[in-house]
Amino acid sequence: MNPESPLLIFDGECSFCRRWVDFWRKLTGDSVDYAAYQSGAAEAHRIPLDEARARVQYLAGNGRFQGAAAVFELLSRIRAYAWLAWAYRRVPGFAAISEAIYSLVAAHRDAANRFTRLLWGKSVEPPSYAISTAIFARAIAAIYAIAFASFGMQVRGLIGSDGILPAGDFLGAVRASYGSGVFWKLPTLFWWAHSDFTLLSIAWGGFTIALVTAISRRPEGGYAKVAFALLWFYYLSLVMVGQVFMSYQWDLLLLEAGFLTIFLRAAWTRVWLFQWLIFRLMLESGLVKLQSGDPAWRNLTALAYHYQTQPLPTPLAWYMFKLPLDFQKASTIFTFVVELGLPFLMFGPRRLKQIAAFGTILLQSLIFLTGNYTFFNLLAIALSLFLLDDAFWLRLFRKPAPARPVVTNVNRYVSASLFVLIMFLSTTELMAMFGTVPRPVRRVTDAFAPFGIVNGYGLFAVMTTTRPEIEIEGSSDGTNWEPYTFRYKAGPLNRAPSWIEPFQPRLDWQMWFAALGSYRENPWFLRFILKLLEGSKPVVALMDRDPFFGAAPVYIRAQIYEYRFTTFEERRKTGNWWRRELRGTYLPQVSLKH
C-alpha cells in the first residue's frame, strides 16, 4: 500500500460493499488503495469505528470524505464518471439527494446486494463492448453489401438513362433550381458523372468494398474506417439520386448507422451513440403510432390487419392473419411494450440492457418472418448488439477477454465532437415530434439534413386496413387486354407471397404506395407507364411477365382491385392464396398516339 495514494476504507464484512469495491478497483487500478476497516485502517487514520462501519471513508490529500461524497470523489479520478463529482459539488440538491439515497442503501445492505446481483449479475464489471463492436462491424459491412447489390440489380430500370426516373434528368432539374452550391443541397458523386456505367460502378463498387470488409480479419480495425467512409458516401450518393425509389426509412437508418461506423471504436462514448440510435429508432416507432390517433392502434386491432395489408407479406403472414383477435391484440400490446417501454431499459444496468436487447431482437425477428422489409430488421438487430457487453459474450463462448482499446487525446476529441454533433441534431429531431423548433436551430439542422447523419423514424404510424392493388394492362388494339405481372407484389391469385428479404424490389414496393392514392399523386407512375409504352428494356426487365415479349403495347390502362387473403376453405378448394374484387379504374386508357 502506497502511503501517498488515496485510500478508500470500507466494511469488509459487507457483501454489497465488497461487490462495489471490486468494481471500483477495476476502474482505478493501482491509483487508489482499498482497505477494510477491520484490518486496522480506520484506527490508523484515527477514524471512529462506528463511522467507518456506517459509511465508506475516502482519504485523499489532506481531506477526508464519507458516504456519497467519498464515492463521487473516488469516481472523479475516472473520466467517464467525473461528471458525477462535478454534479455533487455544483448542482443544487444533487448532494442532498445522493446522501439520502446512500443512507437508505446503507441501512438495507442485504437487500441492496440482492438487487445489485439481480441487475448486474454475480459481479459488477466495467462495461466493455469490444466483441459487440467487432460483430457489428462485420454485420453492417454485410448489410451494405446486400443494399448495394439489391439496388445494383435494379438501378438501370429505376434511375438509368432509359429508366423510370433518370438520374441525369433529376440532377439537371435540381441544378436549375439551386444553381451554385448545389452539392450541399444534394451531396452525391453523380454531379461529376451520371451515366449508366457510373451508376452501376458505384453500386457494384460499393458491394465489392462491403464484401471485402465483411470477410476481412478485423473489420473494426483502423484501415476499415476508410472503407466505411467510402461505403457511406457511395450509399449517400445513390440515395440522393434514387428519388422515390431510395426514400425508405431503412435507407436513412443505414446512412445514420453507417456514418457512426466510420468512427467505430469500443469506447464508451461511441458505443453509447449506437445505443442512442437504437433507442430513438424503437421509441420513435412507438410514439408515431400514438401521435397519429389511428383507431387501429388505439383499440389494439392494428395487427389484425397488418399481415394482410403490409406491402410484401411472406407465406407465414397468411397463417398469422388467421390467428384469433385476442392474439392479435396481445401482439399489439407486445409491440407497444417493446417500442415504448424497453427503450428506457437500454440505459440501465447490464441485465436491463439485455432484456431490452432480447425484446427488440424478438420483435424484429417476428417482423422479418412475416414481412419482407429488406435489410431493415437485420440492421435493427445488429444495432441491438451494442446492448450486450463483453461479459455476456465471454460467458456465452468462454473466450479470453479482449484487450481494452488504447484511448488517446485525439480519440477523446473526436468522441467529444461526434457526441456533441449527434446529440444536438438528434435531440432537435426528437423535440420536433412534440412541437416547433426555434428557427435558428432549425437552420443548423437543415444544413446537415441532406447528409443523413440523423433522421426521424416511425413505420406504420397509420395502419392500412385494406389492400388495394394496381394491375397494369396493355393492348395492341384497345379491345384485348393482357396484364403485366410484377415479380413479387400481390398479383396472380394462386401465387404464394414470396420470401425475398433482404433483397428489396423497389418498384413493387412503390406500387404498394401508389395504390393508396391516385396516379395524380404519384407522378413517377406516369413515367413508368410512359416507359412501358416506349418498350424500355431496362424497365420491362423489372417485371415478371411481359405480355408483349419485348414489343411495345399501343395502349395501356390500370385497374385497381381490392385483395384479401383466402380462407382455409377457399385455399383448399382453389389453391389460391388471394381473392380480389375490382374497385374501378386507376388510370384510363392511354397511348403514345393520342
Side-chain angles (χ1 to χ4, degrees):
M1 186 177 292
N2 187 344
E4 297 182 359
S5 296
L7 173 66
L8 184 86
I9 301 173
F10 63 97
D11 183 354
E13 296 179 353
C14 165
S15 298
F16 173 78
C17 305
R18 291 197 306 271
R19 190 183 298 273
W20 283 99
V21 164
D22 287 343
F23 172 68
W24 297 332
R25 183 180 282 118
K26 292 170 185 174
L27 292 176
T28 60
D30 297 333
S31 65
V32 176
D33 290 329
Y34 298 84
Y37 81 83
Q38 290 89 345
S39 68
E43 294 96 325
H45 292 84
R46 299 180 181 180
I47 299 173
L49 289 180
D50 57 342
E51 291 186 19
R53 184 181 302 110
R55 309 168 78 82
V56 294
Q57 309 290 317
Y58 182 64
L59 309 176
N62 296 323
R64 176 165 75 95
F65 306 88
Q66 56 183 336
V71 175
F72 291 142
E73 282 298 322
L74 169 72
L75 294 178
S76 70
R77 305 179 66 86
I78 306 157
R79 286 179 180 271
Y81 299 93
W83 65 273
L84 289 168
W86 178 89
Y88 185 89
R89 301 186 195 109
R90 304 291 181 86
V91 177
F94 189 90
I97 294 171
S98 300
E99 294 296 349
I101 294 174
Y102 185 95
S103 298
L104 178 65
V105 171
H108 303 86
R109 294 180 184 182
D110 288 341
N113 188 47
R114 290 192 294 271
F115 192 66
T116 298
R117 181 162 182 166
L118 177 67
L119 296 183
W120 275 273
K122 292 182 180 179
S123 63
V124 184
E125 302 285 343
S128 60
Y129 297 90
I131 298 175
S132 292
T133 297
I135 296 174
F136 177 82
R138 203 175 298 279
I140 195 170
I143 291 168
Y144 262 129
I146 290 166
F148 279 115
S150 175
F151 192 67
M153 288 186 280
Q154 308 168 73
V155 66
R156 291 184 65 237
L158 297 177
I159 61 170
S161 58
D162 197 25
I164 298 171
L165 297 174
D169 294 352
F170 173 67
L171 291 170
V174 172
R175 188 182 294 278
S177 297
Y178 292 105
S180 61
V182 71
F183 177 85
W184 302 107
K185 300 291 185 182
L186 195 85
T188 177
L189 287 166
F190 299 114
W191 285 117
W192 290 274
H194 49 259
S195 66
D196 288 2
F197 177 78
T198 307
L199 292 169
L200 289 167
S201 296
I202 293 300
W204 291 107
F207 166 78
T208 303
I209 295 171
L211 184 62
V212 171
T213 304
I215 63 177
S216 63
R217 184 177 179 183
R218 292 190 66 246
E220 79 282 12
Y223 73 92
K225 297 185 187 308
V226 176
F228 282 121
L230 284 173
L231 291 171
W232 175 77
F233 192 45
Y234 277 20
Y235 203 71
L236 175 67
S237 296
L238 289 171
V239 168
M240 289 295 102
V241 298
Q243 302 160 79
V244 296
F245 300 114
M246 291 289 279
S247 60
Y248 298 97
Q249 291 193 26
W250 39 85
D251 294 317
L252 300 178
L253 180 63
L254 182 54
L255 283 177
E256 184 167 351
F259 179 77
L260 290 178
T261 307
I262 298 171
F263 306 95
L264 183 64
R265 277 177 62 85
W268 181 86
T269 304
R270 304 195 196 183
V271 169
W272 194 91
L273 289 175
F274 283 99
Q275 295 172 345
W276 175 243
L277 174 54
I278 188 63
F279 168 83
R280 287 173 34 237
L281 172 66
M282 299 308 295
L283 182 65
E284 291 177 19
S285 296
L287 288 176
V288 296
K289 295 176 176 63
L290 297 182
Q291 291 178 331
S292 69
D294 179 37
W297 287 112
R298 291 291 177 90
N299 61 28
L300 305 179
T301 60
L303 294 186
Y305 302 104
H306 168 73
Y307 299 111
Q308 177 177 258
T309 62
Q310 62 182 315
L312 297 178
T314 67
L316 185 59
W318 189 91
Y319 295 95
M320 295 293 289
F321 181 71
K322 310 301 181 188
L323 294 174
L325 181 60
D326 287 346
F327 176 86
Q328 310 292 12
K329 288 187 174 182
S331 299
T332 305
I333 292 172
F334 171 72
T335 301
F336 279 130
V337 169
V338 174
E339 293 183 343
L340 296 172
L342 294 191
F344 293 98
L345 303 186
M346 295 176 182
F347 303 112
R350 63 185 305 269
R351 285 192 170 171
L352 294 185
K353 279 184 166 66
Q354 290 174 11
I355 292 171
F358 296 143
T360 302
I361 290 170
L362 176 59
L363 177 62
Q364 296 298 328
S365 298
L366 292 171
I367 297 171
F368 183 87
L369 291 172
T370 57
N372 290 286
Y373 292 94
T374 74
F375 55 80
F376 172 68
N377 308 120
L378 298 178
L379 183 52
I381 290 172
L383 288 168
S384 299
L385 298 180
F386 283 107
L387 302 174
L388 304 174
D389 61 8
D390 287 342
F392 169 83
W393 297 110
L394 293 173
R395 288 189 180 92
L396 191 64
F397 297 116
R398 301 187 181 279
K399 291 184 177 181
R404 289 179 175 271
V406 177
V407 180
T408 65
N409 285 333
V410 172
N411 296 144
R412 294 189 182 99
Y413 295 145
V414 172
S415 294
S417 301
L418 184 65
F419 184 86
V420 170
L421 173 64
I422 298 300
M423 293 307 297
F424 171 75
L425 296 176
S426 59
T427 52
T428 302
E429 183 270 326
L430 274 173
M431 288 169 52
M433 295 186 70
F434 299 97
T436 58
V437 175
R439 186 172 297 177
V441 175
R442 176 55 68 189
R443 279 200 292 266
V444 175
T445 58
D446 286 348
F448 284 95
F451 295 90
I453 295 173
V454 167
N455 307 285
Y457 303 100
L459 291 170
F460 294 106
V462 176
M463 181 57 63
T464 51
T465 57
T466 61
R467 185 183 189 88
E469 288 285 356
I470 300 168
E471 182 174 86
I472 298 173
E473 299 173 334
S475 174
S476 297
D477 55 13
T479 302
N480 300 299
W481 296 90
E482 293 287 340
Y484 285 86
T485 304
F486 288 79
R487 292 185 184 276
Y488 306 108
K489 83 179 192 72
L493 302 183
N494 63 349
R495 188 174 71 184
S498 303
W499 293 96
I500 52 173
E501 56 197 346
F503 173 78
Q504 182 184 2
R506 293 180 181 262
L507 176 59
D508 294 58
W509 259 88
Q510 208 57 41
M511 288 293 293
W512 183 85
F513 285 105
L516 300 177
S518 69
Y519 71 86
R520 294 180 181 86
E521 299 168 312
N522 294 276
W524 72 268
F525 182 81
L526 295 179
R527 290 279 308 179
F528 176 39
I529 297 300
L530 174 63
K531 288 301 175 181
L532 291 179
L533 286 169
E534 293 175 348
S536 167
K537 290 183 179 180
V539 173
V540 173
L542 299 172
M543 312 293 289
D544 184 51
R545 176 178 178 268
D546 173 15
F548 300 95
F549 305 101
V554 178
Y555 305 96
I556 279 185
R557 70 182 185 186
Q559 308 282 74
I560 191 148
Y561 292 84
E562 182 172 343
Y563 273 62
R564 295 185 179 91
F565 280 144
T566 54
T567 64
F568 281 109
E569 182 65 19
E570 288 171 333
R571 187 174 162 203
R572 185 183 66 81
K573 289 181 178 180
T574 65
N576 292 341
W577 292 75
W578 301 96
R579 55 193 172 95
R580 70 179 190 178
E581 297 177 8
L582 181 64
R583 283 177 43 179
T585 299
Y586 185 83
L587 177 71
Q589 174 180 307
V590 293
S591 173
L592 293 180
K593 293 183 177 181
H594 304 290

